[in-house]
């Protein structure tokens, strides 16, 4: 038995346990076993008693708990005391309300037989926390226009859940729906063709033909041909054969039969495309005939090419059908492609395989003698190919400024090439610039194209006007582009909300609009006067079930407001370009009324990239933080998208200094405006936002009361040898010339510079309590860099909390992980800012 002594020190009560056997650890007293380790600190003296120091309040609480008649004490989660657990419970209920809000992902419209009314189909998703997956739904609506320019959406009574569905794409007419179910093991891939009242066809494509169909936003390419009999798509190439061994050694047979007397070796390792593509085989191009169910690989494509974003070329009667796709060559190695648009790529055209089609009326011969033709020889990047309605032009987005500079994102450009009406494929077509890269936009003028993916059918009825979404400063906007003249107009209202086009309904636009304080709502836009050359658009509100949220959320959001602030640049030198000297922006979210006499605590939110942007759209996670009593400041430091190429390119080579200074200037700006208290500031960011977070708490150690970092870049010198994008480490450290220094074997000089640019170089000055949220499967910023920094803080006694999500990648977005992350951010910030 142990005996215990209770004594009082100057600041705490001390419980001393005396042990007769010194080599064993201290035993917990029954009442002490319920004290969280963060509140109970053992200390030992030379005579080996063990002392636990408690505050008077904690001791009183424990004694009261111990004398309770309710039985044994309830065990609490690791790291939680009674007060924190209560905060956890309260915040989790509110976060659940925000999490349950559905998202509008895509939409399609189809003209009815009358040609006046139309049908719309919306793809909607919602997190399922219990299953840790996202539920996907189809919600349908009948659209009719009234004589007074009003619009009527008649919604189906209930959405249809697409359980187990990887991707679905309707045919152009809306008469058929392709539904793909990818296997979770070595089972066949399942294709279903839905009609209006039943599943008309079902095909099972074995693994010997191809693996899972790509359903991501990058390689995915599913395209119906004109007569809706053939579908081109991108799937994993078949698994390579692996060596087979028996008890007698190597077996020189290729059998897929499961034989318990055999076992498979691993075979040669093959390079993958990095983050989120681990375990995925090379994306290859296939065509399936929906009448016969025959799926064939498209021949004539080099094995070194990864393919995606396929579309059918306009049919030519009596000629073989062609496909146009984007191809990425792997080079020496495949560098990470997720979030990295700077990988060289080109458009290729290839003959479709021998599938009979009603369009040409003939069965085609083998295409082995028709190798793919590279259409964009003179440009380093070509993405999202789209044909004009008359088939005369092929439009595409280029990220050549990203490829040429090494920046993972930059300002896009739009181009066109003439398409031969006879269908002859040519590599000598002239590339015409439609929208060039904008270097330094004038105030209030078009800043260039950014993150501009294009709808499958983006055309108005004149055949030359294209509707696309882009980024304009801190807002998402909808643009109209005349592909002949290059004229660009802003279609969405010039407000501070963000707008994103979902689909076109003839010459009208169905879009979604939101803000940091408004959930997404569907909008319907039409030209005010089609007969004149006016480009004025009018927008109607559409009532939809997808915009529903709880009354509590509505009430909380109605009490919030936001604005977009212009922040002047500090310390402008003569060497800075004109675009880099212009003010940058920050989004400020606050309560409409002060909750008490003092200012609400401020959370500074920093986007990653660094070439990304925080836009004025609705974020469930950020709205949750606003609703529990925090003001938000989302800083779009120089280097963010949406402000011109000069401002963007001013950051590479200056990370850790220019971006850090911009954030500090933005904070001082809101303090000077009387919007924030200098003693109640938190900072949070992920990836490069985590890089900035950990830099800031080191370079300005007295500025921040608390911090949180999600998969942060803390040490470039450590990251460069383990990341899937080592080239990025060189570019952010050296600038665009880092492309020339990049090597798989960094020199001591390279590593020294990277270390000096990293947060780890300032870790000795940090005193801010910091929460780390790490994805164990992250290939972009491996967890070693976050662990190293967190352990360095622990070593010097800084309060640290670490949560590791074992199955998450760089973006911690699995529903349960996302939920737990922001719940812990909310509780951690409340604890240190109260």
């Amino acid at each position: 038995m142990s005996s215990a002594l209770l004594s009082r020190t100057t600041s705490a009560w001390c419980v001393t346990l005396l042990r007769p056997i010194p080599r064993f650890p201290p035993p917990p007293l029954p009442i002490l076993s319920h004290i969280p380790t963060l509140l109970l600190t053992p200390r030992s003296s030379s005579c080996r008693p063990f002392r636990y120091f408690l505050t008077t309040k904690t001791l009183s609480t424990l004694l009261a708990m111990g004398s309770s008649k309710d039985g044994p004490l309830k065990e609490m989660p690791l790291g939680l005391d009674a007060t924190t657990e209560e905060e956890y419970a309260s915040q989790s209920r509110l976060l659940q309300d925000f999490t349950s809000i559905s998202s509008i992902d895509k939409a399609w419209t189809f003209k009815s037989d009358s040609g006046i009314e139309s049908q719309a189909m919306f793809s909607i998703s919602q997190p399922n926390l219990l299953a840790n997956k996202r539920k996907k739904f189809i919600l349908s609506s009948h659209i009719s226009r009234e004589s007074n320019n009003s619009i009527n959406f008649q919604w189906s009574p209930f959405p249809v859940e697409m359980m187990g569905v990887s991707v679905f794409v309707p045919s152009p007419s809306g008469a058929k729906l392709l539904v793909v179910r990818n296997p979770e093991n070595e089972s066949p891939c399942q294709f279903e063709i839905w009609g209006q009242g039943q599943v008309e066809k079902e095909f099972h494509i074995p693994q010997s033909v191809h693996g899972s169909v790509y359903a991501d936003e990058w390689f995915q390419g599913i395209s119906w041909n004109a007569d809706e009999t053939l579908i081109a798509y991108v799937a994993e190439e078949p698994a390579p054969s692996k060596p087979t061994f028996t008890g007698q050694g190597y077996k020189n047979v290729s059998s897929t039969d499961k034989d318990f007397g055999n076992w498979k070796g691993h075979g040669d390792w093959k390079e993958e495309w990095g983050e989120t593509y681990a375990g995925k085989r090379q994306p290859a191009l296939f065509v399936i005939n929906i009448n016969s169910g025959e799926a064939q690989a498209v021949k004539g494509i080099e094995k070194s090419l990864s393919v995606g974003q396929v579309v059918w070329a306009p049919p030519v009667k009596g000629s073989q059908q062609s496909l146009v796709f984007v191809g990425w060559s792997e080079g020496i190695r495949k560098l990470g492609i997720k979030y990295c648009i700077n990988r060289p790529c080109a458009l290729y055209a290839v003959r479709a395989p021998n599938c009979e089609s009603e369009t040409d009326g003939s069965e085609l011969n083998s295409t082995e003698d028709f190798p793919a033709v590279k259409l964009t020889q003179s440009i380093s990047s070509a993405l999202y190919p789209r044909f004009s309605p008359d088939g005369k032009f092929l439009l595409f987005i280029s990220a050549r400024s990203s490829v040429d500079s090494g920046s993972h994102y930059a300002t896009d450009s739009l181009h066109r090439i003439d398409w031969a009406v006879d269908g002859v494929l040519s590599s000598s077509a002239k590339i015409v610039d439609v929208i060039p890269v904008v270097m330094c936009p004038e105030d209030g003028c078009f800043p260039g194209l950014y993150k501009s993916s294009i709808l499958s059918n983006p055309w108005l009825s004149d055949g030359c006007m294209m509707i696309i979404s882009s980024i304009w400063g801190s807002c998402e906007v909808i643009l109209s582009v005349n592909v002949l003249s290059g004229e660009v107009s802003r279609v969405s209202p010039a407000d501070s909300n963000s707008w994103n086009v979902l689909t076109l309904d003839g010459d009208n636009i169905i879009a979604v609009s939101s803000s940091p304080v408004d959930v997404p709502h569907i909008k319907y836009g039409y030209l005010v006067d089609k007969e004149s050359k006016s480009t004025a658009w009018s927008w109607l509100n559409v009532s939809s079930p997808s915009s529903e949220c709880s009354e509590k959320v509505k009430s909380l959001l109605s009490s919030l407001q936001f604005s977009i602030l212009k922040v002047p640049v500090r310390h402008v030198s003569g060497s800075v370009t004109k675009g880099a000297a212009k003010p940058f922006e920050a989004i400020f979210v606050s309560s409409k009324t002060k909750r008490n006499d003092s200012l609400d605590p401020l959370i500074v939110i920093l986007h990653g990239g660094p070439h990304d942007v925080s836009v004025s759209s609705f974020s469930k996670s950020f709205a949750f933080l606003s609703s529990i009593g925090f003001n938000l400041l989302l800083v779009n430091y120089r280097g963010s998208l949406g402000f011109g190429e000069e401002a963007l390119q001013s950051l590479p080579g200056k990370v850790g200094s220019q971006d850090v200074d911009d954030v500090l200037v933005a904070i001082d700006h809101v303090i000077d405006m009387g919007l924030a208290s200098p003693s109640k500031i938190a900072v949070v960011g992920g990836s490069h936002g985590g890089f900035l977070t950990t830099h800031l708490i080191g370079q300005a150690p007295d500025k921040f009361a608390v911090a949180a970092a999600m998969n942060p870049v803390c040490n470039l010198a450590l990251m460069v040898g383990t990341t899937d994008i080592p080239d990025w480490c060189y570019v952010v450290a050296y600038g665009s010339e880092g492309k020339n220094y990049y090597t798989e074997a960094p020199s001591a000089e390279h590593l020294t510079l990277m270390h000096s640019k990293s947060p780890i170089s300032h870790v000795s000055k940090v005193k801010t309590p910091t929460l780390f949220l790490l994805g164990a499967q992250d290939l972009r910023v491996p967890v070693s860099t976050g662990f190293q920094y967190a352990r360095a803080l622990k070593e010097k006694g800084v309060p640290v909390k670490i949560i590791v999500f074992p199955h998450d990648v760089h973006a911690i977005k699995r529903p349960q992980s996302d939920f737990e992350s922001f719940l812990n951010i909310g509780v951690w910030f409340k604890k240190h800012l109260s």
Side-chain angles (χ1 to χ4, degrees):
M1 287 291 291
S2 302
S3 59
L5 303 177
L6 186 65
S7 59
R8 178 73 185 268
T9 69
T10 55
S11 59
W13 288 93
C14 175
V15 179
T16 305
L17 302 183
L18 303 179
R19 290 283 296 169
I21 305 174
R23 67 177 180 271
F24 290 118
L29 289 175
I31 197 170
L32 298 182
S33 64
H34 300 279
I35 306 174
T37 55
L38 292 179
L39 301 180
L40 189 62
T41 307
R43 302 179 188 175
S44 61
S45 67
S46 57
C47 62
R48 304 297 292 174
F50 288 87
R51 298 188 175 94
Y52 292 83
F53 290 81
L54 299 83
T55 65
T56 304
K57 180 179 178 181
T58 302
L59 181 65
S60 300
T61 302
L62 287 168
L63 292 174
M65 292 167 63
S67 62
S68 170
K69 297 180 181 179
D70 296 335
L73 296 171
K74 180 177 69 173
E75 186 173 353
M76 296 181 186
L78 181 66
L80 297 186
D81 55 25
T83 304
T84 307
E85 188 185 38
E86 184 178 340
E87 189 72 37
Y88 243 67
S90 171
Q91 289 195 26
S92 67
R93 288 191 293 270
L94 179 59
L95 182 55
Q96 183 89 44
D97 283 347
F98 278 99
T99 301
S100 64
I101 299 172
S102 60
S103 302
I104 308 166
D105 302 323
K106 293 181 180 179
W108 300 265
T109 57
F110 316 101
K111 282 297 179 187
S112 62
D113 294 337
S114 66
I116 300 174
E117 300 177 336
S118 51
Q119 299 289 333
M121 186 175 82
F122 293 82
S123 172
I124 294 172
S125 61
Q126 185 181 35
N128 182 346
L129 288 173
L130 290 178
N132 203 18
K133 295 180 179 179
R134 289 191 70 83
K135 289 184 176 181
K136 291 187 284 190
F137 304 92
I138 288 178
L139 184 62
S140 300
S141 179
H142 178 83
I143 305 174
S144 57
R145 290 284 302 269
E146 309 296 334
S147 57
N148 58 351
N149 276 335
S150 63
I151 194 77
N152 183 26
F153 276 63
Q154 294 178 310
W155 297 96
S156 57
F158 302 104
V160 177
E161 184 176 359
M162 305 298 283
M163 294 184 63
V165 173
S166 302
V167 62
F168 55 90
V169 178
S171 64
S173 69
K176 300 181 179 72
L177 178 70
L178 169 68
V179 174
V180 178
R181 303 178 193 272
N182 281 330
E184 295 185 357
N185 45 40
E186 295 302 309
S187 301
C189 187
Q190 185 172 325
F191 283 62
E192 298 169 4
I193 305 298
W194 291 13
Q196 292 188 342
Q198 62 184 353
V199 177
E200 296 179 350
K201 300 284 181 66
E202 184 174 318
F203 308 114
H204 296 263
I205 312 301
Q207 292 283 325
S208 58
V209 177
H210 64 67
S212 294
V213 172
Y214 272 86
D216 66 312
E217 75 282 1
W218 197 243
F219 291 117
Q220 176 186 326
I222 296 180
S223 180
W224 291 78
N225 74 336
D227 61 28
E228 303 185 356
T229 58
L230 305 176
I231 301 173
Y233 59 97
V234 178
E236 294 181 65
E237 65 182 7
S241 59
K242 296 181 179 180
T244 303
F245 300 92
T246 68
Q248 284 74 44
Y250 173 69
K251 183 179 179 182
N252 187 17
V253 296
S254 57
S255 173
T256 57
D257 297 335
K258 291 187 177 180
D259 186 340
F260 291 106
N262 298 341
W263 57 278
K264 292 282 187 181
H266 292 288
D268 293 351
W269 174 79
K270 291 196 72 174
E271 196 92 53
E272 298 165 342
W273 282 109
E275 172 69 16
T276 73
Y277 294 106
K280 299 283 285 183
R281 300 193 294 273
Q282 179 107 335
L285 188 55
F286 298 85
V287 171
I288 187 170
N289 184 314
I290 68 168
N291 293 320
S292 66
E294 182 184 12
Q296 296 186 54
V298 176
K299 295 178 177 157
I301 301 173
E302 293 181 12
K303 292 293 185 183
S304 62
L305 279 184
S306 292
V307 307
Q309 303 175 17
V310 61
V311 295
W312 288 91
V316 177
K317 190 170 182 61
S319 297
Q320 200 165 337
Q321 293 191 77
S322 299
L323 297 164
V324 172
F325 63 91
V326 179
W328 291 264
S329 183
E330 59 185 81
I332 297 174
R333 67 165 285 187
K334 289 179 180 174
L335 293 164
I337 203 168
K338 182 76 170 181
Y339 318 119
C340 292
I341 205 168
N342 58 321
R343 305 303 172 213
C345 57
L347 295 187
Y348 295 82
V350 68
R351 298 299 186 188
N354 56 333
C355 301
E356 189 174 348
S357 168
E358 296 173 9
T359 299
D360 52 48
S362 61
E363 188 167 324
L364 307 177
N365 297 318
S366 172
T367 60
E368 289 190 44
D369 296 330
F370 297 94
V373 175
K374 188 175 182 180
L375 302 173
T376 52
Q377 297 275 3
S378 61
I379 196 167
S380 57
S381 169
L383 299 156
Y384 304 112
R386 296 293 184 270
F387 283 95
S388 59
D390 59 11
K392 293 180 179 180
F393 301 118
L394 175 60
L395 277 291
F396 64 92
I397 294 284
S398 176
R400 62 179 175 181
S401 54
S402 298
V403 175
D404 297 347
S405 67
S407 300
H408 69 99
Y409 263 109
T411 313
D412 295 332
S413 51
L414 181 67
H415 308 267
R416 77 169 192 262
I417 58 178
D418 292 337
W419 190 257
V421 293
D422 57 5
V424 175
L425 306 181
S426 171
S427 60
S428 58
K430 179 183 177 182
I431 297 175
V432 178
D433 295 345
V434 178
I435 300 178
V437 170
V438 177
M439 298 304 295
C440 180
E442 296 299 322
D443 293 346
C445 295
F446 173 60
L449 291 176
Y450 300 91
K451 286 193 171 182
S452 304
S453 60
I454 309 177
L455 296 173
S456 57
N457 180 19
W459 302 98
L460 298 185
S461 60
D462 62 6
C464 64
M465 196 70 74
M466 173 186 281
I467 303 296
I468 61 175
S469 297
S470 186
I471 295 167
W472 190 313
S474 298
C475 299
E476 290 177 299
V477 298
I478 302 173
L479 305 173
S480 67
V481 180
N482 187 313
V483 300
L484 299 180
S485 68
E487 182 182 358
V488 180
S489 300
R490 183 168 175 169
V491 168
S492 52
D495 56 16
S496 296
N497 287 17
S498 278
W499 292 69
N500 187 37
V501 59
L502 291 172
T503 188
L504 301 184
D505 181 27
D507 281 341
N508 307 311
I509 301 173
I510 298 177
V512 63
S513 173
S514 71
S515 81
V517 300
D518 297 293
V519 298
H521 283 84
I522 295 175
K523 305 284 186 176
Y524 193 90
Y526 63 93
L527 274 168
V528 175
D529 187 358
K530 287 186 180 181
E531 303 304 321
S532 70
K533 292 186 178 180
S534 170
T535 57
W537 287 74
S538 181
W539 292 91
L540 303 173
N541 295 320
V542 176
S543 177
S544 74
S546 62
S547 303
E548 293 300 318
C549 58
S550 70
E551 291 301 321
K552 186 172 186 179
V553 167
K554 287 180 184 178
S555 175
L556 288 167
L557 292 178
S558 67
S559 68
L560 301 174
Q561 61 186 354
F562 83 100
S563 59
I564 298 176
L565 308 176
K566 296 282 188 182
V567 184
V569 174
R570 185 168 61 187
H571 304 149
V572 178
S573 66
S575 61
V576 173
T577 60
K578 180 183 176 182
K582 287 177 172 287
F584 57 95
E585 292 182 353
I587 302 170
F588 184 71
V589 185
S590 63
S591 173
K592 290 178 180 177
T593 57
K594 287 187 178 180
R595 292 182 172 89
N596 47 49
D597 293 336
S598 61
L599 293 167
D600 288 334
L602 178 70
I603 300 178
V604 180
I605 298 176
L606 304 172
H607 66 72
H611 308 304
D612 204 339
V613 63
S614 292
V615 293
S616 60
S617 59
F618 184 73
S619 162
K620 293 184 274 190
S621 303
F622 296 166
F624 159 72
L625 294 176
S626 298
S627 298
I628 58 174
F630 295 109
N631 291 342
L632 308 181
L633 185 68
L634 290 74
V635 183
N636 286 321
Y637 46 87
R638 284 172 294 166
S640 301
L641 302 178
F643 299 90
E645 187 68 3
E646 284 186 358
L648 186 145
Q649 293 296 346
S650 70
L651 182 56
K654 300 176 185 176
V655 295
S657 52
Q658 177 179 295
D659 44 4
V660 168
D661 192 56
D662 283 355
V663 176
L664 293 173
V665 169
I667 295 170
D668 290 342
H669 186 70
V670 293
I671 291 174
D672 293 343
M673 293 175 68
L675 300 175
S677 168
S679 63
K680 295 188 293 184
I681 299 175
V683 60
V684 60
S687 191
H688 188 84
F691 172 90
L692 285 175
T693 295
T694 47
H695 250 305
L696 286 160
I697 60 178
Q699 293 193 43
D702 298 316
K703 196 88 170 178
F704 303 96
V706 63
M710 307 172 76
N711 284 331
V713 177
C714 299
N715 187 348
L716 289 167
L718 175 61
M719 176 180 164
V720 71
T722 55
T723 179
D724 64 335
I725 53 165
D727 59 321
W728 177 86
C729 298
Y730 277 88
V731 171
V732 295
Y734 282 95
S736 59
E737 64 267 27
K739 282 185 63 183
N740 302 322
Y741 296 143
Y742 162 55
T743 171
E744 293 290 335
S747 68
E749 180 186 351
H750 296 162
L751 296 175
T752 299
L753 178 68
M754 290 179 191
H755 185 275
S756 71
K757 299 275 185 178
S758 301
I760 196 74
S761 65
H762 300 280
V763 73
S764 62
K765 297 174 282 184
V766 177
K767 48 191 175 183
T768 305
T770 305
L771 167 66
F772 291 87
L773 303 159
L774 307 176
Q777 304 301 316
D778 187 356
L779 300 180
R780 182 60 41 89
V781 185
V783 291
S784 55
T785 177
F787 273 128
Q788 181 191 47
Y789 190 92
R791 286 167 176 153
L793 294 188
K794 278 186 172 184
E795 188 176 61
K796 59 192 300 296
V798 176
V800 167
K801 181 180 176 72
I802 303 171
I803 301 176
V804 178
F805 300 98
H807 303 294
D808 279 83
V809 291
H810 188 53
I812 302 176
K813 289 300 181 185
R814 287 159 60 91
Q816 291 176 2
S817 306
D818 182 62
F819 184 91
E820 188 176 356
S821 293
F822 280 92
L823 175 59
N824 275 278
I825 289 171
V827 172
W828 182 255
F829 284 3
K830 279 279 189 181
K831 176 181 177 180
H832 292 281
L833 286 169
S834 58

